[in-house]
Structure formats: C-alpha cells, structure tokens
C-alpha cells in the first residue's frame, strides 16, 4: 500500500522552520487501511484455496477474518 502525501508541519521553532512529515492521523489512517487490505486478502485466500474445507466453514472463517460475524 502506498503512503499518503506528506504534510507541511510547523515545528514551532524560533527559526519558524517548517518540515514535511506525516501526521499521526495520516499514519493511523494508513495503518488501518493496510490492516483492512490484509484482512480482505486473507479472507479471499480462505474462500478460494482450501478445497478440503466445506463451503459453510470457508464462509464462516472468511466472515470472522473480515469481522462481519
């Protein structure tokens, strides 16, 4: 997953220096998006791969991974 665009942050230093960095909100949103994408990839893998699992079991496991149970 791609990182968001950096923000210009005021450092509040006497030199009035501003820097480009990530805000905590940006990093939290990015982390949540990464986690959601990974959960979806894991759920799809369960739905598609293990042929020895029954259809109902695959559906229940995928729903649990997605957090929709």
């Amino acid at each position: 997953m791609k990182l968001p665009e950096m923000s210009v942050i005021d450092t509040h230093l006497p030199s009035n220096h501003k820097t480009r960095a990530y805000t905590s909100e940006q990093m939290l949103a990015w982390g949540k998006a990464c986690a959601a994408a990974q959960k979806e990839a894991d759920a799809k893998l369960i739905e598609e791969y293990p042929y020895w699992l029954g259809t109902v079991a695959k559906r229940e496991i995928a729903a649990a991974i997605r957090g929709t149970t």
Side-chain angles (χ1 to χ4, degrees):
M1 209 157 186
K2 190 175 175 186
L3 282 168
E5 210 45 52
M6 286 187 171
S7 297
V8 176
I9 298 173
D10 188 351
T11 59
H12 302 290
L13 294 173
S15 64
N16 202 23
H17 177 75
K18 293 185 181 5
T19 188
R20 290 182 56 78
Y22 297 108
T23 64
S24 57
E25 292 84 9
Q26 284 177 306
M27 293 310 296
L28 285 170
W30 180 72
K32 288 177 183 179
C34 286
Q38 185 61 52
K39 281 184 175 184
E40 185 57 30
D42 293 346
K44 283 183 179 179
L45 180 67
I46 288 294
E47 289 173 337
E48 296 170 5
Y49 181 70
Y51 300 109
W52 48 269
L53 276 176
T55 305
V56 174
K58 288 195 284 188
R59 188 175 26 234
E60 288 175 357
I61 293 168
I65 289 171
R66 289 182 178 114
T68 58
T69 57

